[in-house]
Amino acid sequence: GEVESARLLIEAGADVSRADPGGHDALWIALRQREGEIAALLLEARANLDIVAARLFEAERSRGLRARGQATRMKAVERAAPVGVEAAMAAI
């Protein structure tokens, strides 16, 4: 299935942080599609969290939350940590 395909691509050395022309990387897509197991694999493979963090930051900002700056960005990154994959999926 998809999880095994992702695992094989990672093991073969795929760039887990490469973004498509629209700026979406594999981690962002996995989270948007509620593919927690694939997201966890990508995080274990050291996927770059910048795109997810930036998009979560923007989502929080668009929801009218007042928190700004690095603290909010770090909170977004923490949501995308392996133990927080479910929270990250719920936030986007």
Side-chain angles (χ1 to χ4, degrees), residues 6-20:
R7 186 183 324 277
L8 290 171
L9 285 167
I10 291 168
E11 288 174 1
D15 181 356
V16 295
S17 296
R18 184 174 181 181
D20 67 16

Side-chain angles (χ1 to χ4, degrees), residues 24-37:
H24 306 102
D25 65 357
L27 180 58
W28 177 253
I29 293 167
L31 291 170
R32 288 290 294 179
Q33 294 179 352
R34 308 296 194 252
E35 295 287 348
E37 197 171 345

Side-chain angles (χ1 to χ4, degrees), residues 14-19 23-29 31 39 41-54 73 77 80-81:
D15 181 356
V16 295
S17 296
R18 184 174 181 181
H24 306 102
D25 65 357
L27 180 58
W28 177 253
I29 293 167
L31 291 170
L41 285 173
L42 292 165
L43 288 165
E44 288 172 18
R46 304 268 191 218
N48 187 332
L49 294 170
D50 287 346
I51 291 173
V52 171
R73 190 173 179 90
V77 170

